[in-house]
Amino acid sequence: MAGVDVVLQVLIWGLYAGCIYILLATGLNLIFGVMKVVNFAHGELLMLGAYITFTFYALSGWNPYVLLGASVPLLIIVGIIIERLCFRPILGTGKLNEIFISIGLIYIVQNAAAIVWTDEWRIIHSPYERITISVFGVNMPLDYLIIIITTALILIGLHLFLRRTRIGKAMRATSQNRNGAMLMGINVERMDMLSFGIGAGFAGAAGTLWVVSGQVFNPYMGSIPAIKAFAIVILGGLGSIPGAIIGGLVYGIAENFAIFTLGGAWKDAISFIILILVLIVRPTGLFGESAE
Amino acid sequence: MIDLNKTLGIGSKKGRLFGIIVLLILAVILPLIFGMNLFLLTILVLMVIFIIYASSWNFLTYTGQGSLGHAAFFGLGGYVSALIATASGLSPFITIFIGGGAAALVGLFIGVICVRLKEWFLAMVTFGFAIIIQTLIVSQFASISGGWDGIAAPRLVSTTIPYYQLIEYYSIVLIAVLIILLFWIILRSKIGLAFAAIRENEMEARAAGIDPVRYRLFAFLVSAYFSGVAGALEIHNLGYITPEIFGVDISFWPIIYSISGGLGTLAGPIVGTIVITVLWDGLRMLGITYARFVIIGVLLVMIIIFLPKGLISLPENVREFIEKRRKSS
């Protein structure tokens, strides 16, 4: 029964879901690359991005895509605050501590959001909600196309930033060799702050895109996408940004095929099955060099 | 040389003994003082169950491992025990140990996959398994597990017996004491030394002829088994079980308890569970709902940053601080 058009349909859903995962995973990877810490509370930043978009939309009524201009800078600030207050003091005290401090952060951010915005499920409607376009004979919501293009633009922007600008080069240097970078006069602590900020900003962008695509959200929705994003990071190899992009696409598509074939209950589980299979075969991820 | 006191908990032998005796006396007389206050008794029972659960989770950290998905074992122990007790009519006092066995079997399977993984990888895989098992329970096994609605479980002590809640409470306390005693015996033995050696320096441990994989697996097995027993105790106490038991919260609570008490010590999870439970339910009585999560989160972050050895190191830190002040003045 699965004709070509159905496969294409699922592929497009997967591509769209993959975009949000890619943004989260790239942010995580950027932070990991520079600081060598994993922020398990990354999904809470996505959730904050979603709520900031929601609030500004309710206040201004502007096109929600424009609100990327609000959620990203605000999340960069939140990211910098989190880095300074929570992650910097424990830098180098053991990897389990990072996980544990993230758990604390998850509780703080989720429930602070529940106090501010209540824990009801929210939704906003994109102005292009009813418009679909035809791609290879399959109907695709215009929103999905915009999201895919936006994500691509953001990633190109990141690429240019890392390759062409002085700060971007300094960040790459820090991620390759922290001590060496320090000796070259790079302020590595500022790089930490910056990478965490940009990573958080990416999560904010993912939050806005999540909201405009018409997905529901509440203060507790962030954990699962974040955990998946982390699984993608592992899948693609820690610290490898191309790995995160390919991993994100594979994930989004695999997840949507699982929903289609096994039923909606398997949406979350399938990602972990993939992750576990990958880890059994290749404990360092598909594109990673070494975990040690 | 590995300091055994460090592995076991609070500083001096006298202090330890004193602490244990006070705790045991409190455990015995508290419900008697408050009489049959059901609300309080329920909190106490849950607290003791979570002491078992947190201690079992903490058992993993002796080998330097950690898990974000212990709800998988907690829930499996509960489901298997509930199903067997309902189907066979066996007393829950027997089936909780069978439930633990089922959890340990799955734990062994997960352990085999996980022992070679470290830190984040291990955390992710264990977290993933909790979600996979929850999915299996609500989809493939829905016909016997009742899907999202869950199933009823027989009470630990039949409700027809007078004072059944008290009997339940005391038997759970007894089980908790026995389990922690067992942990103590294991950690005092050569196995405990091997654990410490692996945690401190895996290379050297290997050079000394200790097989880290075997010991890690053993720790995983023991931890999963007693988490399963704790889960079974909880559901027989509640009288029902739903797939919510595999939720992220259930995985995170033992971590919060153990860290706030003190990781890798016997006393840590006990102290942590008591302090956090008192704080938690105290805040609830004050009518604080969401904010108490925030408070617990802030507390956790502050403990990790300022008291990396947990609350049990607080007296020592205070003493050091005072001594330093005295010296400088």
Side-chain angles (χ1 to χ4, degrees):
Chain A
M1 88 185 197
V4 179
D5 50 337
V6 177
V7 173
L8 258 178
Q9 187 77 64
V10 174
L11 260 174
I12 287 170
W13 284 335
L15 206 61
Y16 144 74
C19 280
I20 290 188
Y21 294 149
I22 287 173
L23 284 176
L24 277 176
T26 311
L28 273 177
N29 243 337
L30 207 62
I31 298 171
F32 178 82
V34 175
M35 294 179 73
K36 308 286 179 264
V37 303
V38 168
N39 173 25
F40 272 89
H42 214 62
E44 278 44 57
L45 302 175
L46 165 98
M47 179 272 291
L48 279 183
Y51 270 100
I52 289 169
T53 313
F54 168 77
T55 310
F56 276 85
Y57 180 71
L59 290 177
S60 68
W62 290 347
N63 184 327
Y65 287 102
V66 177
L67 296 174
L68 274 174
S71 64
V72 174
L74 280 175
L75 258 295
I76 290 178
I77 295 170
V78 171
I80 289 174
I81 294 172
I82 290 179
E83 194 273 328
R84 302 230 45 164
L85 286 184
C86 299
F87 283 95
R88 186 170 299 176
I90 58 146
L91 216 56
T93 59
K95 284 160 188 157
L96 285 176
N97 265 355
E98 296 155 12
I99 300 176
F100 300 150
I101 214 152
S102 305
I103 292 177
L105 273 175
I106 290 174
Y107 277 95
I108 297 171
V109 179
Q110 277 184 352
N111 294 286
I115 294 170
V116 177
W117 287 291
T118 75
D119 61 357
E120 274 171 60
W121 287 97
R122 307 271 191 181
I123 187 166
I124 64 173
H125 297 280
S126 154
Y128 315 121
E129 198 181 21
R130 300 191 187 287
I131 306 171
T132 56
I133 48 166
S134 174
V135 182
F136 305 116
V138 184
N139 283 334
M140 174 187 192
L142 181 61
D143 281 313
Y144 284 15
L145 188 68
I146 300 177
I147 286 169
I148 292 167
I149 292 171
T150 313
T151 308
L153 287 178
I154 292 176
L155 290 174
I156 292 169
L158 176 74
H159 180 81
L160 291 178
F161 169 72
L162 287 178
R163 296 273 157 184
R164 297 289 159 82
T165 65
R166 236 185 127 69
I167 303 175
K169 283 178 186 164
M171 266 173 85
R172 279 183 24 229
T174 313
S175 91
Q176 278 164 11
N177 186 337
R178 201 180 168 86
N179 288 334
M182 211 183 321
L183 291 174
M184 290 294 114
I186 294 171
N187 185 342
V188 289
E189 295 202 325
R190 188 172 295 157
M191 292 304 132
D192 286 351
M193 226 164 76
L194 211 60
S195 69
F196 212 104
I198 297 174
F202 269 57
T208 302
L209 295 183
W210 179 284
V211 168
V212 292
S213 64
Q215 297 234 47
V216 291
F217 53 99
N218 81 351
Y220 305 103
M221 61 71 143
S223 320
I224 294 290
I227 289 287
K228 282 184 195 160
F230 187 63
I232 290 164
V233 170
I234 292 178
L235 195 72
L238 278 170
S240 153
I241 290 180
I245 295 171
I246 295 169
L249 288 179
V250 169
Y251 238 65
I253 292 167
E255 185 180 287
N256 279 285
F257 270 104
I259 296 170
F260 184 70
T261 50
L262 293 169
W266 283 89
K267 183 177 189 291
D268 297 333
I270 191 70
S271 34
F272 291 104
I273 295 175
I274 298 173
L275 173 73
I276 290 163
L277 289 179
V278 169
L279 283 180
I280 292 172
V281 183
R282 240 188 99 85
T284 54
L286 292 177
F287 299 88
E289 293 124 38
S290 171
E292 296 297 305
Chain B
M1 182 61 206
I2 294 145
D3 186 3
L4 207 61
N5 272 342
K6 248 195 219 157
T7 355
L8 295 178
I10 311 168
S12 69
K13 206 171 183 183
K14 235 190 223 165
R16 262 203 319 268
L17 204 67
F18 180 72
I20 292 169
I21 291 171
V22 168
L23 264 186
L24 279 179
I25 292 176
L26 276 181
V28 172
I29 61 168
L30 261 187
L32 299 179
I33 294 177
F34 293 104
M36 285 299 289
N37 186 332
L38 265 184
F39 173 66
L40 219 77
L41 202 60
T42 318
I43 291 176
L44 273 180
V45 166
L46 280 183
M47 190 172 88
V48 178
I49 291 171
F50 269 83
I51 285 178
I52 304 177
Y53 183 30
S55 299
S56 314
W57 182 86
N58 184 51
F59 194 78
L60 263 186
T61 62
Y62 285 99
T63 55
Q65 304 181 96
S67 154
L68 289 186
H70 254 49
F73 310 127
F74 193 74
L76 269 177
Y79 265 104
V80 172
S81 177
L83 286 171
I84 292 178
T86 317
S88 67
L90 277 173
S91 157
F93 279 110
I94 300 165
T95 58
I96 53 169
F97 295 105
I98 306 174
L105 260 181
V106 175
L108 190 66
F109 173 69
I110 299 176
V112 168
I113 294 174
C114 288
V115 273
R116 281 167 220 279
L117 302 174
K118 279 203 182 146
E119 290 111 13
W120 313 300
F121 297 87
L122 181 65
M124 284 308 304
V125 171
T126 46
F127 187 94
F129 265 109
I131 290 182
I132 292 171
I133 289 172
Q134 184 184 44
T135 308
L136 279 172
I137 294 271
V138 297
S139 58
Q140 257 62 4
F141 295 109
S143 55
I144 51 168
S145 71
W148 279 108
D149 296 331
I151 44 170
R155 293 285 303 218
L156 200 56
V157 178
S158 163
T159 46
T160 51
I161 298 167
Y163 297 114
Y164 69 97
Q165 281 121 334
L166 267 185
I167 302 173
E168 247 176 31
Y169 169 74
Y170 284 120
S171 36
I172 291 173
V173 169
L174 184 70
I175 292 171
V177 170
L178 290 177
I179 289 174
I180 288 163
L181 203 64
L182 181 72
F183 285 165
W184 186 64
I185 293 170
I186 294 176
L187 292 170
R188 272 195 53 188
S189 70
K190 266 189 181 162
I191 301 175
L193 284 175
F195 280 1
I198 293 166
R199 186 186 55 217
E200 298 301 331
N201 191 331
E202 198 178 323
M203 276 302 212
E204 279 177 22
R206 213 178 281 216
I210 297 166
D211 179 5
V213 170
R214 234 179 54 202
Y215 282 99
R216 288 227 169 94
L217 216 53
F218 174 74
F220 221 97
L221 201 68
V222 173
S223 176
Y225 182 83
F226 289 108
S227 300
V229 170
L233 281 173
E234 182 183 272
I235 63 101
H236 285 299
N237 180 253
L238 290 175
Y240 63 88
I241 180 167
T242 67
E244 308 265 311
I245 202 167
F246 295 107
V248 177
D249 273 342
I250 302 284
S251 285
F252 283 0
W253 276 120
I255 306 176
I256 295 173
Y257 292 144
S258 303
I259 295 173
S260 41
L263 225 51
T265 60
L266 266 187
I270 303 172
V271 172
T273 311
I274 294 172
V275 171
I276 300 283
T277 307
V278 168
L279 186 67
W280 183 251
D281 286 298
L283 289 173
R284 184 168 67 178
M285 275 184 239
L286 292 176
I288 297 167
T289 49
Y290 292 123
R292 59 183 178 160
F293 282 101
V294 180
I295 293 170
I296 299 279
V298 171
L299 191 73
L300 187 69
V301 169
M302 285 179 58
I303 287 177
I304 295 171
I305 295 175
F306 299 112
L307 263 182
K309 284 180 189 152
L311 286 172
I312 55 162
S313 68
L314 192 62
E316 207 175 311
N317 281 13
V318 170
R319 205 181 310 133
E320 262 172 34
F321 181 72
I322 293 172
E323 262 168 36
K324 222 180 259 170
R325 287 285 297 268
R326 200 178 291 154
K327 257 179 213 164
S328 63
S329 67

